Amino acid sequence: MENQHYISATLQWVDDIVIHHNFCPFARYARYPGGIHCEVTAATADAGSVLATLFDECRRLDNDANIATTLLILTNEDAKDFNRYLDILAIAEKMLSDWGYAGIYQLASFHPDYQFEGEDSASPSHFTNRSPYPLLHLIRESDISKYMQNEEDAEKIYTHNMEKAQTLGCPYFRDKLKALKTN
């Protein structure tokens, strides 16, 4: 039950930010009825433990077609620092390939301090990838391909997200994320 807060806040973020603002057009299809699995790492987990959990989640997706996607919520100290999180992400992406999952699953990354390289640090665009807690989002590539067949232009998703973030502004997102972590 101690992990329930992390899961509740993360799923509320999916509903209130990702789906509500259509940052990921296929998220609403994965969200209901229960197609998103959340797994919380131990607060004491090291990078090796995180990778072991990621491997277990790949296996879970292999064995359960009802789960569309996994959100691995990282509660360990290393992941709280954005640069260390990026190190974990880089190793995780390499390991997906080493485990034979390249082309089967891909990782998307979300972090409370997410910042796109080369963007002004005050840009609202960073909030399209900011979540209440550090996440590794494990996605079935076949689902992405299936959805994208119906999408005329993948670039319009990115453009929409940047425009929407700019319109809503940093204070809106800061308040939303803060509320998720304190509820």
Side-chain angles (χ1 to χ4, degrees):
M1 286 311 260
E2 67 188 54
N3 291 333
Q4 190 55 48
H5 169 75
Y6 294 107
I7 294 169
S8 295
T10 298
L11 291 176
Q12 195 66 51
W13 166 75
V14 169
D15 291 341
D16 293 353
I17 302 294
V18 178
I19 292 174
H20 180 75
H21 296 299
N22 202 30
F23 283 157
C24 176
F26 40 89
R28 69 179 167 267
Y29 301 112
R31 177 71 168 104
Y32 302 101
I36 297 176
H37 173 74
C38 292
E39 188 68 28
V40 180
T41 63
T44 58
D46 60 12
S49 298
V50 170
L51 295 172
T53 304
L54 179 64
F55 180 76
D56 291 345
E57 292 309 311
C58 289
R59 299 295 303 261
R60 182 187 311 272
L61 289 174
D62 288 345
N63 295 314
D64 190 342
N66 293 318
I67 299 172
T69 190
T70 292
L71 296 174
L72 179 55
I73 305 165
L74 308 180
T75 61
N76 59 321
E77 285 302 312
D78 279 348
K80 291 178 183 177
D81 177 89
F82 184 59
N83 289 318
R84 289 189 204 146
Y85 166 83
L86 290 176
D87 292 341
I88 294 168
L89 175 64
I91 295 167
E93 288 175 336
K94 168 83 169 89
M95 293 309 300
L96 276 183
S97 178
D98 289 354
W99 295 329
Y101 285 116
I104 298 171
Y105 304 122
Q106 70 175 243
L107 287 173
S109 56
F110 301 92
H111 191 279
D113 299 320
Y114 201 95
Q115 187 164 331
F116 291 106
E117 190 173 336
E119 291 243 357
D120 184 301
S121 62
S123 175
S125 66
H126 304 300
F127 285 95
T128 64
N129 283 61
R130 287 192 180 169
S131 54
Y133 301 101
L135 303 174
L136 294 177
H137 181 191
L138 192 59
I139 312 164
R140 295 179 194 273
E141 286 203 11
S142 61
D143 289 346
I144 294 170
S145 297
K146 186 175 14 177
Y147 175 81
M148 293 309 291
Q149 287 177 350
N150 300 326
E151 197 62 43
E152 295 174 17
D153 182 12
E155 183 66 24
K156 78 178 183 181
I157 296 171
Y158 173 79
T159 304
H160 164 268
N161 291 353
M162 296 303 113
E163 290 171 357
K164 187 68 170 182
Q166 194 68 33
T167 299
L168 294 169
C170 293
Y172 168 84
F173 289 108
R174 276 192 209 105
D175 291 346
K176 282 287 200 180
L177 290 173
K178 183 179 179 183
L180 290 171
K181 289 180 85 167
T182 57
N183 287 341

